Amino acid sequence: MKRLHMRAFGKPSTAPELIESETPEPGAGQVLVALEAAPINPSDLLLIRGLYGHRPALPATLGTEGVGRIVAVGPAVDPVRIGERVLIIPTLKHATWQDQIAIDEDDAIVVDPAADVLQLAMLGVNPLTADLLLRRFVDVPSGGWVGQTGGNSAVGRSVITLAKQAGYRTLNVVRRPEVAAELLELGADAVVVSGPNLGEQLKKALGDERISLLLDATAGDVVAELAPWLLHGGTLVSYGGMSGAPVVVRPGDLIFRDLHVRGFWQKGWLDTAPREEFTAAYARLAALVADGTLRVPIAATYPLEKYQDALVHATQADRVGKVLFAW
């Protein structure tokens, strides 16, 4: 079987290599999953560069999340599980950019076999991140505003959908004005474009209202422009740094308005949350994927053999939608 791994950290376009290896045998309490689809996330690209919060021992097989079918089981696992379509929990214990993988039975969550396999493959990281960002930090009142940078990202789109379901309004900052209409159709209440007139756009969108929760995927100076629109004592949650710049908040906003700045890493939550809590969350979100409520655009799919093209595509700043490996 084939798998993507790297011997050294480096550029996503050059560090990974495709190798042949023996098909693993599931051990006691394990299942063997034949992958059907696995996305390329920004966190995967950071990991390849050696800039992520998790640095695997090298050489390392790559890929964080994915979905596939159980094709064999190890001792102490009920053979009835063979044939199930399962989500691989993205704990970073299991690398998904390979044809088949042996994982602990408990790390394979059953999902709807009739649902869109590509959308299911993206369930592990982005929708759960959006769900946790909305639920864990602030009790947003009904009709309250949630602001976010990276509004057109996969997490941002899930935030829009889940916030709408919860009765919140979303203010979404994007880089390109042409995506505004699509996000409004998705359910966004306001879309503003980062740039020199962002302040005027915010005033027009919010008037005298204020944001209860600000979710930041990009960092940089745009955060300083949004922070004054938070409620007194409001919370900013940083979960990404796509700009490569620091999170900027003026001292006056922190000191005189008691703003709270928090960080969030999904892996940290998965490592500590009770199993029944995250399996229930995945079940709830998987149902939304199955009925078409939760969807994100797909830019392209590639076979594993075309990994260099896939990784180059995934690094393009003007890309619209997610890039996935598909079997």
Side-chain angles (χ1 to χ4, degrees):
M1 60 162 245
K2 297 180 176 65
R3 61 187 176 97
L4 270 178
H5 86 161
M6 64 179 180
R7 302 179 189 276
F9 298 107
K11 293 181 179 180
S13 58
T14 58
E17 56 183 340
L18 189 65
I19 64 171
E20 293 279 352
S21 64
E22 295 292 327
T23 300
E25 291 287 338
Q30 289 191 320
V31 296
L32 182 66
V33 179
L35 272 295
E36 295 180 285
I40 302 173
N41 289 313
S43 56
D44 294 311
L45 303 178
L46 286 172
L47 186 147
I48 293 169
R49 293 186 174 101
L51 302 176
Y52 196 51
H54 171 73
R55 287 173 65 93
L58 299 175
T61 305
L62 300 169
T64 302
E65 64 175 333
V67 68
R69 297 275 188 175
I70 294 177
V71 294
V73 299
V77 179
D78 192 335
V80 74
R81 295 209 64 179
I82 294 175
E84 288 178 349
R85 173 172 283 163
V86 294
L87 171 77
I88 297 172
I89 298 177
T91 58
L92 295 176
K93 292 189 299 182
H94 314 298
T96 56
W97 295 354
Q98 55 186 320
D99 293 337
Q100 297 187 2
I101 182 173
I103 64 174
D104 294 342
E105 179 184 17
D106 287 346
D107 289 340
I109 297 180
V110 179
V111 290
D112 187 345
D116 186 318
V117 67
L118 298 180
Q119 296 294 327
L120 285 174
M122 298 181 285
L123 172 61
V125 173
N126 293 320
L128 183 63
T129 294
D131 185 61
L132 293 169
L133 289 170
L134 289 170
R135 292 192 298 111
R136 289 183 59 81
F137 295 96
V138 172
D139 290 328
V140 180
S142 179
W145 283 99
V146 175
Q148 65 170 340
T149 62
N152 191 41
S153 67
V155 172
R157 287 170 174 265
S158 293
V159 165
I160 291 170
T161 298
L162 295 174
K164 179 67 68 176
Q165 281 205 328
Y168 312 148
R169 291 178 290 172
T170 57
L171 172 86
N172 304 274
V173 183
V174 298
R175 292 181 296 110
R176 304 192 309 274
E178 60 268 24
V179 304
E182 186 177 350
L183 295 187
L184 291 169
E185 184 177 350
L186 183 64
D189 296 280
V191 181
V192 295
V193 182
S194 58
N197 68 338
L198 178 58
E200 297 173 17
Q201 297 176 68
L202 292 170
K203 176 63 177 176
K204 183 177 179 181
L206 294 172
D208 294 328
E209 298 185 276
R210 290 295 181 266
I211 297 167
S212 297
L213 172 65
L214 178 58
L215 309 175
D216 177 43
T218 65
D221 292 337
V222 67
V223 180
E225 295 191 63
L226 289 164
W229 292 91
L230 272 165
L231 292 167
H232 187 281
T235 297
L236 159 67
V237 183
S238 171
Y239 70 94
M242 290 189 291
S243 71
V247 175
V248 181
V249 182
R250 297 182 182 91
D253 287 315
L254 294 172
I255 298 167
F256 303 123
R257 298 200 307 107
D258 191 28
L259 297 189
H260 301 266
V261 180
R262 300 285 304 275
F264 177 74
W265 187 23
Q266 188 200 71
K267 180 183 184 300
W269 181 80
L270 282 173
D271 287 345
T272 58
R275 176 176 172 77
E276 59 270 19
E277 184 176 351
F278 65 73
T279 54
Y282 276 129
R284 175 167 45 82
L285 296 171
L288 296 177
V289 171
D291 69 15
T293 300
L294 272 176
R295 296 187 65 82
V296 296
I298 295 171
T301 62
Y302 292 84
L304 207 57
E305 293 80 2
K306 298 288 187 180
Y307 70 95
Q308 290 175 314
D309 293 339
L311 290 165
V312 168
H313 193 172
T315 59
Q316 293 175 355
D318 59 349
R319 168 181 49 82
V320 178
K322 190 71 77 174
V323 177
L324 299 95
F325 293 113
W327 283 260

